[in-house]
Amino acid sequence: MKDFHISQAHEKIGLDGNLPFWISMIKESQKVLKPNKKNRVLDFGCGDGKFLQLFELMDDLDSGLGLELNKGLIKKAQQRNNNSSIQYKHYKENIIKKYDKYFDAAYSQEVIYTIKNLKSHAQEIFNSLKDGGFYFSTMGSHIDNPLWSKRRKIIREEEKYYAYDYSIEEVAEVFYSVGFEVGIKRLPVEYFLVYHPEITKEFSNSLLDLVNTTYENKMLFSFWKPYVK
């Protein structure tokens, strides 16, 4: 764990609407990850690669792998990457099989609801983690969120990926079934949420709705792979 201030992130990766969630997710994960240890980290659904750059600012990184379906975003991540310990690759079937029991921790930010075969995803992440490893995943896009029907409609109409209907209970049951110990809490967002005059209204009706739904419905899962006795 390193001393960290958000200004470091602004200097390194610029402004990003996901930044408050990424920082909060990493800080919460530091409460259970082994201290003073360099971690092998997987960022599943890495987008343009900023999360691993942030993790390296906040914690000790041995190596990082970012996986993403969108080839254009992977290209951006690779172009801006000047850290030899971090790699970005296009996600395709069986790519994670090369990393059996390899990672100390995996992360994803609002990815679970985009995955059709959730059990297959849970199993491949389980297999990629070392015994005692963690998968941390945020999820505000679930059917228990009162704003989900509005967001789902927009995503299905405008995005290249699909939005699946999952409940919090369903996600927990799937990950439990493959062997994870499942933990959950509301994500305690420590920094300011970012306002945009069009996007905020489009996804959350109003700025107040954005604040309320974030603090009430943005969940952080902790999926822990137990040690083999």
Side-chain angles (χ1 to χ4, degrees), residues 183-194:
I184 188 172
K185 67 184 299 183
R186 287 188 173 91
L187 182 71
V189 183
E190 299 187 24
Y191 291 95
F192 297 94
L193 300 177
V194 178

Side-chain angles (χ1 to χ4, degrees), residues 4 6-16 18-19 22-23 48-55 57 80 88:
F4 170 78
I6 195 170
S7 61
Q8 295 170 267
H10 290 153
E11 292 171 5
K12 189 173 182 66
I13 65 175
L15 298 174
D16 194 292
N18 285 305
L19 189 57
W22 289 336
I23 292 173
D48 59 2
K50 295 177 181 178
F51 176 83
L52 287 172
Q53 306 293 329
L54 174 66
F55 187 94
L57 288 175
R80 65 158 52 103
Y88 298 101

